Each structure stands twice: as C-alpha cells, then as structure tokens.
Amino acid sequence: MESPHLNRPSRPTASMFSASALILLISATATLDGALPTSAKVPAVFVFGDSMVDPGNNNDLDTMAKCNFPPYGRDFPGATPTGRFSNGKVPSDMLAEAFGVKELLPAYLDPELQIHDLLTGVSYASGAAGYDPQTAEDVKVLSLSDQLDLFNESVARIKAEVGEERAASIVSESFYAVCIGSNDIINTFFPLQLSNQEKGNISSYTDLMAEYASSFIQELYGLGGRRIALFGIGPIGCVPSQRTLRGGFQRDCFDQENEAAVIFNTKLYSLADSLSSQLPGSKIVYMDVFYSFFPLIQDPSQYGFEVATRGCCGTGNIEASYLCNNLDDILTCVDDEKYIFWDSFHPTEKAYRIAMDQILTDNMNKFF
C-alpha cells in the first residue's frame, strides 16, 4: 500500500493514494497572523479533545497519560511543564492566539483558573481520550461526555458572573474546536486487531466513531455552540512510536493506521457538511489535519526540519508521557527546532505552528 498523496483535496477520500504530489512550501517561521478575516472576532475559544490540545487537564487525574514534568515544556514561557504534551505551546494556544483572545488557553481543571480566564475560553481536552468512551475509560481520563459536562458547568459559572444575556452572547459567538480521534484508532481499535482478541472492521468502527462525533456536536449545539471546528486525524501511522511498534525493521509508516485515519476523516467531513445543513445558524467546518501535516513528514527539509522519524526526547523511538523524563537528558536532542516530533507521538511547537497556519488559512473564513 502506498502512502497517502499530498495533493490536499477539497474533501478527503480513502481512495486517494499515490507516491508523489505537489508540496506546498510554508515558512518554518510562519505565524497565524493574517489567517483570519479582518471582521472576525470572537469573545472566547473553547476546546475539546485529546493530548494535542490538552494544556494540563490530566495533571491531577489518576492516569499515566500526563506530562507535567521536565523535559516537557522546556520551550514554554518560563520553561514550565504545564501538562502540555510538547516542548512548548500546543494548537489550543495557537487558536486563542489567532483570534486575538489571549496568548495561552488554560486548562479548565487548572486549580488557579479564575473567572476572568473562563470568560475568554478554556480547554477541556484530556490526553489519551477518544470519540469512543471506552478509549478514555481504559486509561482513566476525561471522556468527551465528561468534557461536555465541564463545559455545561462553565456556562453556569459564566451566567452567575455576567448574567443570562451576556452569557448567552458569549456562548453563541465563541469559537469551538474538537480535536480527537487518534487514540481510538491507535489504542482501541488496532491493539484488538493485532492481538486477535477481537476482529473488527475499520469501516464499522469509524462509523461508530462518527456516530459519537455526531452526538457530541449536536449536544454542544444544544448548549449554544454555533461555530464548531472539527479537526480530522493526522498521519498517525507515521508518528515515531507507531513506526517503532508497527512499522517493521525499517520503521516505516504503518499504512493501515494512515488509511484508517483517512477513512474516518472522510466520514467526519461528510458529518460536518450534513450537520451544518441540519442545525440552523451553525457553522460546522471540517479542518484537514492529515494533508496539512503529511508534507512535513515526507519532505522535512522543505520546512526547516532534519528529523522526521524520531522524536527529540530520549531515543525518540518510543518515549512519551512518563517515559520521556529527565533520565533521558543525555539522549534528548539539544535543538528541537530540527525535529518534527517532540516525543514519540506529539509534534514540536514549530511543527504544530506550520500545520496550524495552513489549516487556519484554508478554513477560517468559513466561520464568518
């Protein structure tokens, strides 16, 4: 099976695979400035999802999926390990920054969170969560249902602070992002397939994921959300840990996971289109992560990177969460600007910025 091609289609299709394509050169120093229409303004940004957008909600949970310790956060302001699964900022921060709301999007469960922080948005995301509630349950993190409960709790707090009318305005005019799904495929579906514990069909499983996504979006809409971005799954078969565990001796990309991601993304694209038509006043937009990030992996030098198959932390082959720690310092890279991945699963801030710049440039005018 060949790797997914890099021509970014108007809608993703599972059959679009080829070995060559045109690469869009993006400056490695690109910022998100200019990605938004000049008239775009939102009072707050609220984010749901997994470790890609978790700024520290897992810190006090009884789970192994956390990273509030060095060397995580070494390039974050103050070199602080906040619980963000990267060397620095993550996409939830970049969204808040792009909208001019604030520089950093805090975790809702941050014990130091103040009401003024909540009024301009927070992230409810929980590392290792998925659309499938079983994915979160297996590792004791916040499911999407749990995250939605926290949002509902937030709305009550906002109403108590600013009154019903202003609270309704904040909720309806804010920007919502949902970034989740990778763990369902990597940690829930494929382990069962490879261990022969339970044989399933990826088409059926991604149907189930899409059903959970649909229910979540409709519930969020029912609570007042209108501008909702649905981030697709990236090329997860090419992250360093999957190359190590499932890519064979050569540590190639695990094509089956990439194909599964594209299959689900196709369904998520259709879901966004369908729900936008069904739900009055909504703007629900699919955000293409796969074809925005894959070019970096295929031709890293075009984007100022030197290493695409290993993470910076430790050996870069398997380390993530507790396996990425100060004991790895002797092996951890000095210059993470050369690396697409920070640990064996999560990108560096630089890689996130390049992909997010492309995603926002392509899509933000659709919300206004």
Side-chain angles (χ1 to χ4, degrees):
M1 181 184 300
E2 297 175 314
S3 297
H5 72 47
L6 303 182
N7 285 325
R8 300 171 62 256
S10 59
R11 63 176 290 168
T13 60
S15 60
M16 291 182 174
F17 288 82
S18 73
S20 62
L22 174 65
I23 293 179
L24 300 176
L25 179 61
I26 310 169
S27 168
T29 58
T31 69
L32 304 182
D33 294 338
L36 301 179
T38 55
S39 60
K41 187 175 182 180
V42 299
V45 173
F46 295 101
V47 177
F48 305 85
D50 57 23
S51 59
M52 300 297 169
V53 286
D54 178 3
N57 284 307
N58 281 11
N59 289 358
D60 294 322
L61 300 183
D62 182 22
T63 178
M64 292 293 290
K66 60 178 66 177
C67 59
N68 54 332
F69 44 81
Y72 286 97
R74 76 177 192 184
D75 299 311
F76 191 78
T80 306
T82 59
R84 287 168 170 82
F85 289 77
S86 189
N87 61 304
K89 296 179 182 179
V90 293
S92 46
D93 300 312
M94 296 167 193
L95 284 171
E97 182 182 297
F99 280 107
V101 172
K102 49 191 173 186
E103 183 182 357
L104 301 171
L105 198 70
Y108 179 69
L109 295 183
D110 183 342
E112 298 182 6
L113 187 79
Q114 302 295 316
I115 187 63
H116 65 83
D117 298 315
L118 186 56
L119 293 177
T120 52
V122 294
S123 173
Y124 307 94
S126 184
Y131 280 111
D132 183 345
Q134 186 65 48
T135 302
E137 183 178 332
D138 286 345
V139 286
K140 301 179 181 180
V141 299
L142 301 174
S143 68
L144 271 184
S145 179
D146 294 329
Q147 294 179 36
L148 200 63
D149 287 344
L150 294 178
F151 172 69
N152 204 13
E153 178 181 288
S154 299
V155 174
R157 292 176 62 184
I158 292 172
K159 287 179 180 178
E161 179 69 16
V162 302
E164 293 273 351
E165 185 175 346
R166 187 180 169 202
S169 176
I170 291 173
V171 170
S172 65
E173 296 174 9
S174 290
F175 181 83
Y176 298 83
V178 184
C179 181
I180 199 166
S182 299
N183 297 304
D184 294 315
I185 292 173
I186 290 177
N187 297 332
T188 302
F189 180 77
F190 272 102
L192 294 177
Q193 301 303 294
L194 298 176
S195 67
N196 292 316
Q197 291 180 32
E198 180 181 325
K199 286 296 181 183
N201 181 289
I202 190 58
S203 180
S204 298
Y205 187 68
T206 50
D207 281 343
L208 179 66
M209 291 171 63
E211 289 174 13
Y212 282 124
S214 178
S215 296
F216 176 81
I217 297 307
Q218 292 182 69
E219 288 186 63
L220 181 57
Y221 176 86
L223 292 174
R226 294 297 180 266
R227 295 188 180 104
I228 305 172
L230 296 182
F231 284 77
I233 299 175
I236 51 178
C238 293
V239 303
S241 65
Q242 299 310 292
R243 289 177 180 269
T244 300
L245 296 173
R246 298 168 182 169
F249 183 75
Q250 297 295 326
R251 297 186 67 251
D252 296 321
C253 292
F254 183 47
D255 288 332
Q256 291 179 59
E257 284 180 345
N258 281 345
E259 183 176 299
V262 175
I263 290 171
F264 174 70
N265 289 344
T266 303
K267 295 173 182 179
L268 194 66
Y269 175 97
S270 297
L271 176 64
D273 189 53
S274 174
L275 289 180
S276 282
S277 300
Q278 295 174 29
L279 303 176
S282 69
K283 293 182 183 292
I284 302 170
V285 179
Y286 169 79
M287 312 289 262
D288 191 344
V289 176
F290 195 105
Y291 293 103
S292 296
F293 201 86
F294 194 60
L296 279 67
I297 294 172
Q298 190 184 53
D299 197 351
S301 64
Q302 290 293 315
Y303 302 89
F305 296 106
E306 296 180 9
V307 185
T309 62
R310 292 182 290 108
C312 167
C313 187
T315 66
N317 293 330
I318 198 66
E319 294 88 345
S321 188
Y322 279 110
L323 294 180
C324 174
N325 55 63
N326 277 340
L327 296 178
D328 295 317
D329 279 354
I330 193 171
L331 297 174
T332 296
C333 76
V334 174
D335 186 2
D336 50 49
E337 291 271 308
K338 298 177 180 178
Y339 286 70
I340 291 176
F341 293 96
W342 164 246
D343 61 17
S344 70
F345 192 87
H346 305 95
T348 56
E349 178 181 340
K350 177 182 172 181
Y352 274 138
R353 283 196 177 277
I354 293 173
M356 285 294 290
D357 181 76
Q358 185 66 55
I359 292 167
L360 295 184
T361 299
D362 288 349
N363 294 288
M364 296 313 289
N365 63 338
K366 300 174 185 176
F367 292 96
F368 301 93

